[in-house]
Amino acid sequence: MSGTEQSGLSHVILRTEHLGRVADGVPIVNDVSLEVFRGELLGIVGASGSGKTSLLRLMNRLDEPTNGTVFLNGVDYTTIPPRVLRRRIGMVTQRPFLFPGDVASNLRFGPQQRGETLFQEAIEKLLKEVGMEGFAARDVANLSGGEQQRVSIARALANEPEMLLLDEPTSALDEESKREIEKLIRDLATTTARTFVLVTHDREQARRICDRVGAMDRGRLIHMGKPTEVLRA
Amino acid sequence: MLKSIFHTQITLGLAQAAIASAIALMVVLAARKRNIHLESDTAIALVRGIVQIVIVGSVLVLLLKAPRWSSIFLLAGMLMAAGSISAKRAKNIPEARKVSTLAIAAGAGSVTAIMTWAGVIDTAITSLIPVGSMIIANAMNTNGLALNRFRSEVLAHAGEIETALALGAAPQDTVGRYAESSIHASLIPAIDNLRSLGIVWIPGLMTGMLLSGADPLYAAIYQFVVIAMILASSGLTSLLSTLLIRTHVFSLAEQLVLKEHEA
């Protein structure tokens, strides 16, 4: 445990300790130790196959680490029931994978899993946060790519996660939608003080919106710091 | 034509088997021209089929003189084999063999037991073994279809399943709809068999009863009984196997372990 955690003044929300995963005999994440601070927008950049998505999947235990572990607020996440952990660490993927039906039913999905009802007022508030006011009754099949990704973010936020993992959320979008989603993520990080980890192959995107950036190469975290320092090259 | 060349039943049977196999192989060759390769699967299945059925025929000759309770062991052996064969349709799903054997045993076993207890199936070896094996074989086919469909659905919808997991859903709930569609798909042959009974096909059992001099009306009703038993046992097998298998595509930490790159 670090000194700050021992003093009880830690503002580290998530810490990975020698985290690694070997798949089919190949190390895809290798000895990654990093800290994510409460309220920050941390970017993870790297080329395709560098292990950034694999690292993100280890953070909410969608995959099992073969080495090391993750601490959420100082607690080893293997001691937290997986469903509770995933509610606390939300995730948005490259493709939104919205469930068939209307926008409201997608937003209700997470709370429903623990027997809670998301009322209309809360739905409208969430939709307002992601710039989708008035879309609650819309069928998800009739939404654009950018709109679907906004709903996907709102659906993850409906679980009231302590932090949100974003896996290439703009890579399937056109330039205009990409900029809009970027702005939305930055605004959410600034106005709501939520914690975000954004995986992106787009170094310029990381430079534009992230507070700190980690760079990965062949499964290893090779740099971590301010965007201007890490993304100089 | 064959009867004029082959004068004993054994040689005639082998000649008939050779012609049937040759036609099957011609279909395989036709498929090959369209780049669909069924050669090794079909060749192995044909050889296995003839060897196995000849062995069973020989065993039946011995069993005709054995006590009635001995058929239980033969049916149990068939159940084990059926579980093992249909589990291969659930490649890379842990415990598929165990799940298949349990589901077929519960589905085919319970229906056979109830119908034997009710006196619908005679306890004579010559009745219990053929009817029981028909029920087991159909349950095996249904189980294989259900597991194969379930596996394909899970692989095709890994993104949706993991999205639901990431939102805190229980693993078995995330694959519920794929299990349902697997049950529907697996029961299509059994339902169509019942629908087309007497219109498109007259099953072998009824033909055999007619040839052995049974009342045609009773033979027809009994054939319906057998096909209905097959539907019941297949349905129960499919329900159970998809219910049991859904937990095996996830790890203890509720991670989806059946994925395309691992399949």
Side-chain angles (χ1 to χ4, degrees):
Chain A
M1 191 176 277
S2 68
T4 49
E5 283 170 337
Q6 280 170 338
S7 68
L9 298 171
S10 169
H11 56 298
V12 172
I13 183 167
L14 181 135
R15 180 163 58 87
T16 72
E17 197 173 89
H18 304 295
L19 194 63
R21 177 167 166 82
V22 176
D24 301 325
V26 179
I28 50 175
V29 175
N30 198 347
D31 197 26
V32 172
S33 297
L34 61 80
E35 291 177 327
V36 182
F37 298 102
R38 191 175 298 282
E40 77 168 335
L41 200 173
L42 172 68
I44 304 288
V45 297
S48 178
S50 61
K52 51 193 190 303
T53 293
S54 301
L55 173 64
L56 208 66
R57 291 172 58 87
L58 291 177
M59 285 183 178
N60 71 343
R61 222 181 163 199
L62 268 184
D63 285 329
E64 191 68 3
T66 45
N67 296 96
T69 191
V70 175
F71 292 91
L72 178 63
N73 288 319
V75 177
D76 185 337
Y77 79 166
T78 57
T79 64
I80 303 170
R83 277 173 242 178
V84 174
L85 175 78
R86 291 177 192 138
R87 188 186 69 73
R88 292 173 63 187
I89 306 178
M91 189 172 198
V92 170
T93 48
Q94 183 179 337
R95 281 180 60 197
F97 292 117
L98 298 181
F99 306 123
D102 61 21
V103 170
S105 66
N106 271 271
L107 267 55
R108 286 192 197 101
F109 183 88
Q112 262 172 359
Q113 304 311 307
R114 50 183 194 279
E116 291 174 14
T117 306
L118 192 68
F119 293 106
Q120 197 60 31
E121 196 181 330
I123 290 171
E124 289 301 337
K125 192 180 165 200
L126 279 166
L127 289 176
K128 189 178 177 185
E129 264 195 282
V130 298
M132 294 280 286
E133 286 165 283
F135 276 69
R138 286 278 287 273
D139 191 318
V140 295
N142 299 325
L143 300 178
S144 70
E147 288 168 342
Q148 287 190 18
Q149 198 56 287
R150 284 171 187 271
V151 173
S152 167
I153 293 170
R155 182 177 61 182
L157 293 176
N159 263 342
E160 298 177 350
E162 289 165 54
M163 63 183 292
L164 198 55
L165 310 175
L166 305 161
D167 183 16
E168 302 268 15
T170 62
S171 63
L173 303 178
D174 58 56
E175 196 58 34
E176 189 185 345
S177 303
K178 178 177 154 180
R179 290 298 181 123
E180 286 172 5
I181 297 291
E182 263 181 28
K183 184 176 179 304
L184 170 66
I185 294 167
R186 185 60 258 176
D187 288 350
L188 285 171
T190 306
T191 59
T192 65
R194 286 191 183 97
T195 309
F196 292 86
V197 178
L198 169 72
V199 155
T200 178
H201 67 278
D202 184 344
R203 295 165 68 90
E204 286 310 308
Q205 181 176 68
R207 193 196 307 270
R208 282 193 295 270
I209 65 172
C210 293
D211 299 315
R212 283 193 311 143
V213 173
M216 288 194 72
D217 183 38
R218 281 170 282 186
R220 287 185 178 275
L221 184 68
I222 51 170
H223 295 296
M224 176 65 88
K226 290 178 182 173
T228 47
E229 295 165 4
V230 176
L231 303 170
R232 259 186 306 210
Chain B
M1 187 188 85
L2 289 174
K3 283 182 182 170
S4 60
I5 304 169
F6 301 99
H7 300 293
T8 66
Q9 277 198 334
I10 300 293
T11 53
L12 179 64
L14 287 173
Q16 289 167 337
I19 289 179
S21 302
I23 294 170
L25 289 172
M26 279 162 65
V27 174
V28 170
L29 290 176
R32 191 183 171 172
K33 286 201 169 181
R34 290 185 55 193
N35 271 333
I36 302 165
H37 295 281
L38 306 166
E39 299 92 333
S40 61
D41 273 0
T42 311
I44 292 168
L46 284 171
V47 172
R48 270 184 70 162
I50 186 77
V51 170
Q52 285 165 192
I53 202 72
V54 166
I55 291 171
V56 168
S58 311
V59 171
L60 275 176
V61 170
L62 296 174
L63 281 176
L64 284 176
K65 294 166 192 164
R68 291 183 179 218
W69 52 260
S70 58
S71 55
I72 292 172
F73 293 102
L74 194 58
L75 288 175
M78 286 176 172
L79 278 175
M80 301 296 283
S84 189
I85 291 166
S86 63
K88 289 182 179 143
R89 300 290 167 201
K91 192 180 157 199
N92 288 343
I93 302 182
E95 309 278 357
R97 187 174 167 177
K98 191 169 139 191
V99 165
S100 298
T101 309
L102 271 173
I104 297 169
S110 64
V111 170
T112 307
I114 291 168
M115 297 311 258
T116 306
W117 172 78
V120 178
I121 305 173
D122 193 69
T123 51
I125 287 173
T126 48
S127 173
L128 187 55
I129 295 295
V131 176
S133 73
M134 244 191 292
I135 293 170
I136 293 170
N138 280 278
M140 175 189 77
N141 289 340
T142 307
N143 184 62
L145 286 173
L147 294 186
N148 189 253
R149 175 66 176 255
F150 181 72
R151 178 179 177 277
S152 303
E153 291 273 16
V154 169
L155 286 174
H157 297 96
E160 285 88 342
I161 293 166
E162 289 196 322
T163 295
L165 287 176
L167 288 163
Q172 63 271 27
D173 293 343
T174 66
V175 293
R177 77 167 90 161
Y178 310 123
E180 282 167 27
S181 68
S182 305
I183 294 167
H184 281 292
S186 71
L187 288 176
I188 289 173
I191 291 169
D192 281 356
N193 274 347
L194 198 52
R195 267 190 193 152
S196 62
L197 188 61
I199 300 170
V200 181
W201 68 305
I202 295 176
L205 189 74
M206 182 176 165
T207 313
M209 286 174 77
L210 290 174
L211 290 174
S212 61
D215 181 292
L217 197 57
Y218 177 71
I221 293 170
Y222 194 74
Q223 185 60 65
F224 166 80
V225 170
V226 171
I227 301 292
M229 282 193 289
I230 285 172
L231 178 63
S233 68
S234 298
L236 191 53
T237 300
S238 181
L239 275 171
L240 282 171
S241 67
T242 50
L243 185 71
L244 295 172
I245 204 74
R246 66 174 82 183
T247 56
H248 293 290
V249 295
F250 298 99
S251 66
L252 285 175
E254 304 188 349
Q255 296 140 338
L256 182 64
V257 289
L258 180 69
K259 290 177 194 166
E260 196 63 66
H261 68 278
E262 290 165 357

